[in-house]
């Protein structure tokens, strides 16, 4: 495996994790990176770097970000975004991985890309639901701001410093796992 392949895997995992916070923002970042020749995509995914894709994903990103600031609409979006995150996480992974056999690429994309995005989106949706239940939705804009900021930081790091992004993803997954362990009901047997 070449260093280019490893870096492309880190890029894909970072963007997939970012998809777990906002579905369209990392796709828009990837589209911009491809459009401005910062990152080269696989041959069959170069359409993401077209001007039409940049505009469409930019508009979708803006709508998604603002929709998450509307309490209760954000919960509805989360129910739609969980399966979309799995698809988008898989797609960003497939579009960025370089020089691997298609079976390995798709397996990695489904497991690492789709799995990471779904885990983070599921945890975020659960957190937002808890926020809605405990604050009547008043704290949801704060949660949305933190999620959007995290998606922006991880997307940017993924494109310009993929190894740093992979480290951030590991830290986020460890935090999610620790929170899950603390909140999981204890069953005495």
């Amino acid at each position: 495996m070449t260093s280019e392949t490893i870096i492309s895997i880190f890029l894909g995992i970072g963007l997939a994790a970012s998809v777990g916070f906002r579905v369209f923002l990392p796709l828009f970042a990837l589209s911009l990176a491809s459009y401005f020749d910062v990152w080269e995509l696989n041959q069959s995914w170069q359409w993401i770097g077209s001007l039409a894709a940049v505009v469409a994903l930019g508009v979708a990103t803006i709508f998604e970000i603002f929709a998450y600031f509307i309490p209760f609409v954000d919960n509805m979006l989360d129910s739609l975004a969980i399966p979309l995150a799995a698809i988008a996480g898989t797609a960003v992974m497939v579009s960025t991985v370089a020089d691997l056999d298609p079976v390995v690429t798709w397996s990695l994309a489904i497991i690492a890309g789709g799995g990471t995005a779904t885990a983070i989106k599921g945890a975020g949706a659960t957190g937002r639901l808890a926020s809605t239940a405990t604050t009547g939705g008043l704290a949801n804009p704060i949660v949305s701001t933190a999620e959007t900021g995290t998606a922006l930081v991880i997307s940017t790091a993924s494109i310009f410093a993929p190894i740093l992004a992979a480290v951030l993803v590991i830290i986020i997954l460890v935090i999610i796992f620790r929170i899950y362990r603390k909140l999981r009901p204890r069953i005495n047997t």
Side-chain angles (χ1 to χ4, degrees), residues 49-174:
S50 69
L51 182 59
V54 169
V55 171
L57 291 169
V59 169
T61 299
I62 290 168
F63 278 115
E64 180 184 30
I65 288 170
F66 284 111
Y68 268 103
F69 283 102
I70 304 169
F72 302 102
V73 171
D74 56 358
N75 289 312
M76 181 193 67
L77 283 175
D78 275 339
S79 65
L80 297 172
I82 291 173
L84 286 177
I87 294 166
T90 301
V92 295
M93 193 76 183
V94 166
S95 70
T96 60
V97 173
D99 302 330
L100 287 178
D101 180 78
V103 172
V104 175
T105 299
W106 278 99
S107 298
L108 189 63
I110 292 167
I111 295 167
T116 301
T118 303
I120 291 174
K121 180 48 91 178
T126 302
R128 185 181 325 284
L129 194 57
S131 170
T132 300
T134 57
T135 68
L138 294 176
N140 290 15
I142 295 167
V143 173
S144 293
T145 301
E147 288 176 343
T148 301
T150 304
L152 185 61
V153 167
I154 294 175
S155 293
T156 304
S158 296
I159 291 167
F160 295 108
I163 296 170
L164 172 63
V167 171
L168 290 173
V169 170
I170 291 168
I171 292 168
I172 289 168
L173 290 173
V174 167

Side-chain angles (χ1 to χ4, degrees), residues 27 30-32 34-35 41 45-51 53-54 57 91 95:
L27 294 169
L30 183 61
S31 183
L32 283 173
S34 178
Y35 183 78
L41 301 176
W45 291 87
Q46 289 186 357
W47 61 269
I48 292 174
S50 69
L51 182 59
V54 169
L57 291 169
S95 70

